[in-house]
């Protein structure tokens, strides 16, 4: 069985999770679930990034020791993963001993290969970003200099170990050219290549100005730069340095999902660190966009960050999962609004798929004795619907391999619209009086369509599609895999009475509340 390794970024524990964190993990979860449906052996990793000056400061501001602070905030991210139904196989924390050991092993390997040297660093540093910036990247307002991210910077001078990043410039450019799908989407790839072409400076990879971090082997006055520490998590979880660990067979990772603000670290520093240590780089880094909230950027000062768990309570888990990946092409920025979510829920989910399922299964209960009709010959109209179903898994899989989640969903819901057109055209409720065999055939074909939709939509809406598959009489386990679609269900099976799949939202009440 072929293996597939997919990761979220590990989330920085200086604040509680918001909708942006849920978005990244959701995309990772959907891809992991799809690969399992394909029959792949999947390793899905998420976790928390718990070291660095910013965390140390946040803990101090909260009146807590850093470890107690990170224990508390990391739990919020575990809770988010559980409540959002994420199927991660591991949750890593950078304060774990296994991770500290992996970081120090990687450092020692880089040092052994003469990729690290001791010097001193001075430059413009943003505490919020845990990053240094060149003078040409800065802007100035009211006497304060700012990084491209908007974070204020300060001039810092301190002893530091350096990684010989500059020597890897040509290799990186060659690697990008030979692996055109390594960075996606295309706009992020262009930005990264432009940055590398402009030249790379050796990278400061240790700090002495604070102590909350992984100690540098042989020089405990230094702690590792938070990004060297954080990026290593992906190989820690895969068993490094304990080769041959059973999980090491998952490396290199198939996809790292990241926000567009950290693509440079993942697409430049990370492959360079790995190549320098003699470890294969990951296969792909996908940088998604950011969400604004009702037209405004999410920020602490505006107090408009949305708690995804509150949205789950308000609208339901699966409608939220569906909306986040349906509304905006993954990789683009998007605006979150409750009205848009309600429009998707009431329209595509309730009126589209939910109504199709309710009508079909109710007609089977009333007109077929509650039993699944047997397979029947196909008319031209039947073939038009069913031939499209045969192509559905491959089309959805192709879109997901390119991280085009919205395209995958549009492909499915175009077929749902076709099926709604089919039931309107065939009118099985009228055929009971004129042609019962034809009525049964039409209902059987609609059941076949619903089975296909439910199976391919499981990664997006696992709970709701599980309930639909129950109502369709589809056996659990292998019976709900993509491979199972090749074999028709035997006719004559008793089906349970249908129940509504989605709860529509009163738009008038929503408008009054907002």
């Amino acid at each position: 069985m072929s293996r597939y390794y997919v990761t979220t970024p590990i989330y920085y524990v200086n604040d509680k999770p918001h909708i942006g964190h849920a978005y990244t993990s959701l995309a990772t979860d959907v891809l992991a679930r799809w690969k399992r449906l394909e029959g792949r052996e999947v390793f899905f990793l998420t976790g928390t990034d718990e070291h660095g000056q910013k965390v140390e400061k946040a803990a101090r501001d909260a009146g807590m020791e850093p470890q107690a602070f990170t224990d508390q905030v990391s739990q919020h991210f575990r809770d988010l993963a559980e409540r959002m139904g994420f199927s991660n196989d591991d949750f890593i924390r950078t304060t774990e001993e296994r991770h500290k050991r992996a970081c120090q092993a990687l450092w020692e390997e880089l040092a052994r290969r003469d990729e690290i040297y001791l010097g001193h660093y001075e430059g413009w540093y943003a505490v919020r970003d845990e990053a240094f910036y060149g003078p040409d990247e800065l802007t100035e307002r009211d006497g304060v200099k700012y990084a491209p991210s908007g974070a204020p910077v300060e001039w810092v001078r301190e002893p530091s170990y350096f990684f010989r990043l500059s020597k890897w410039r040509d290799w990186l450019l060659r690697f990008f050219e030979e692996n055109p799908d390594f960075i996606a989407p295309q706009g992020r790839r262009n930005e990264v290549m432009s940055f590398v072409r402009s030249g790379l400076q050796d990278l400061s990879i240790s700090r002495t100005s604070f102590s909350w971090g992984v100690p540098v082997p042989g020089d405990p006055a230094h702690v590792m730069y938070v990004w060297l520490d954080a990026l290593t998590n992906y190989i820690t979880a895969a068993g490094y340095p304990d080769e041959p660990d059973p999980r090491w067979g998952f490396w290199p990772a198939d996809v790292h999902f990241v926000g567009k603000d950290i693509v440079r670290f993942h697409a430049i520093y990370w492959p360079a660190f790995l190549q320098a240590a003699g470890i294969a780089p990951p296969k792909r880094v996908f940088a998604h966009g950011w969400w604004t909230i009702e037209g405004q950027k999410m920020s602490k000062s505006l107090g408009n960050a949305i708690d995804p768990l509150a949205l789950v309570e308000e609208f339901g888990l699966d409608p939220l999962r569906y909306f986040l990946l349906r509304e905006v092409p993954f990789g683009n920025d998007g605006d979150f609004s409750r009205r848009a979510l309600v429009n998707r829920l009431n329209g595509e989910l309730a009126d589209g798929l939910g109504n199709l399922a309710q009508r079909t299964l109710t007609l089977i209960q009333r007109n077929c004795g509650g039993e699944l009709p047997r397979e029947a010959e196909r008319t031209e109209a039947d073939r038009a619907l069913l031939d499209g179903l045969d192509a559905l898994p491959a089309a959805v899989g192709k879109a997901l391999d390119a991280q085009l989640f919205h395209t995958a969903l549009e492909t499915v819901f175009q077929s749902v619209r076709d099926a709604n057109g089919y039931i309107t055209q065939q009118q099985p409720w009228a055929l009971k009086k004129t042609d019962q065999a034809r009525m049964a055939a039409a209902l059987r074909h609609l059941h076949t369509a619903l089975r296909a939709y439910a199976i391919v939509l499981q990664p997006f809406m696992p709970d709701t599609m599980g309930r639909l598959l129950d109502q369709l009489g589809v056996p659990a386990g292998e019976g709900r895999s993509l491979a199972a679609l090749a074999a028709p269900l035997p006719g004559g099976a008793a089906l349970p009475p249908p129940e509504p799949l989605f709860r529509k939202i009163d738009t008038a009440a929503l408008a009054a509340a907002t």
Side-chain angles (χ1 to χ4, degrees), residues 198-497:
S198 69
L200 295 175
Q201 302 296 316
D202 287 351
L203 181 67
S204 170
I205 56 169
S206 73
R207 300 286 182 270
T208 58
S209 54
F210 61 93
S211 59
W212 183 240
V214 179
V216 166
D219 195 344
H222 291 251
V223 295
M224 291 186 196
Y225 174 45
V226 69
W227 275 105
L228 176 59
D229 167 358
L231 290 163
T232 302
N233 92 89
Y234 303 123
I235 56 173
T236 300
Y240 183 83
D242 298 329
E243 301 175 49
D245 186 278
R247 280 186 167 175
W248 192 245
F250 283 100
W251 191 261
D254 290 272
V255 186
H256 290 320
F257 283 109
V258 301
K260 65 180 182 180
D261 54 326
I262 56 173
V263 67
R264 181 187 301 181
F265 304 100
H266 285 79
I268 300 175
Y269 300 168
W270 184 222
F273 290 155
L274 290 168
Q275 186 70 12
I279 301 171
K283 298 176 185 177
R284 184 167 171 88
V285 174
F286 194 103
H288 64 74
W290 290 334
W291 284 94
T292 53
I293 306 299
E294 309 283 356
Q296 291 183 309
K297 184 178 179 181
M298 274 194 296
S299 73
K300 286 185 182 179
S301 59
L302 291 173
N304 66 345
I306 289 184
D307 178 0
L309 300 185
L311 292 173
V312 171
E313 290 296 323
E314 187 175 357
F315 298 107
L317 173 57
D318 282 351
L320 177 62
R321 286 174 61 104
Y322 175 82
F323 170 79
L324 289 175
L325 294 178
R326 177 72 175 94
E327 185 71 4
V328 178
F330 196 69
N332 293 5
D333 291 341
D335 185 57
F336 178 89
S337 76
R338 282 176 167 77
R339 182 167 297 280
L341 196 164
V342 168
N343 288 342
R344 294 287 186 189
L345 168 54
N346 287 355
E348 290 174 332
L349 296 183
D351 290 341
L353 180 58
N355 189 46
L356 178 68
Q358 189 73 15
R359 294 168 79 190
T360 300
L361 293 173
T362 298
L363 286 167
I364 291 175
Q365 286 293 319
R366 290 177 180 172
N367 301 335
C368 303
E371 293 184 355
L372 176 62
R374 301 187 184 281
E375 283 277 272
E377 290 187 12
R378 300 178 179 184
T379 66
E380 186 175 340
D382 299 339
R383 286 192 293 272
L385 174 66
L386 298 174
D387 288 352
L389 295 178
D390 293 340
L392 201 56
V396 171
K398 181 178 179 181
L400 292 181
D401 280 341
Q403 288 77 63
L404 298 174
F405 297 94
H406 71 292
T407 300
L409 288 171
E410 172 56 26
T411 299
V412 177
F413 277 82
Q414 179 56 58
S415 186
V416 171
R417 290 190 286 273
D418 292 342
N420 273 304
Y422 174 88
I423 194 173
T424 300
Q425 179 194 56
Q426 297 298 311
Q427 298 185 345
W429 52 88
L431 287 170
K432 183 177 183 181
K433 298 178 181 179
T434 61
D435 190 342
Q436 290 195 15
R438 180 61 200 154
M439 174 202 71
L443 290 174
R444 171 66 195 223
H445 298 325
L446 285 163
H447 182 282
T448 298
L450 286 166
R451 177 189 176 212
Y453 304 147
I455 285 177
V456 300
L457 287 172
Q458 287 177 102
F460 295 91
M461 297 181 285
D463 292 341
T464 308
M465 293 306 103
R467 288 192 287 116
L468 177 54
L469 288 164
D470 289 342
Q471 294 181 41
L472 293 167
V474 179
E478 288 302 311
R480 300 183 179 188
S481 68
L482 294 176
L485 283 172
L489 294 179
L495 302 184

Side-chain angles (χ1 to χ4, degrees), residues 37 74 174 289 441 482 487:
L37 277 185
S74 181
R174 189 166 62 252
L482 294 176

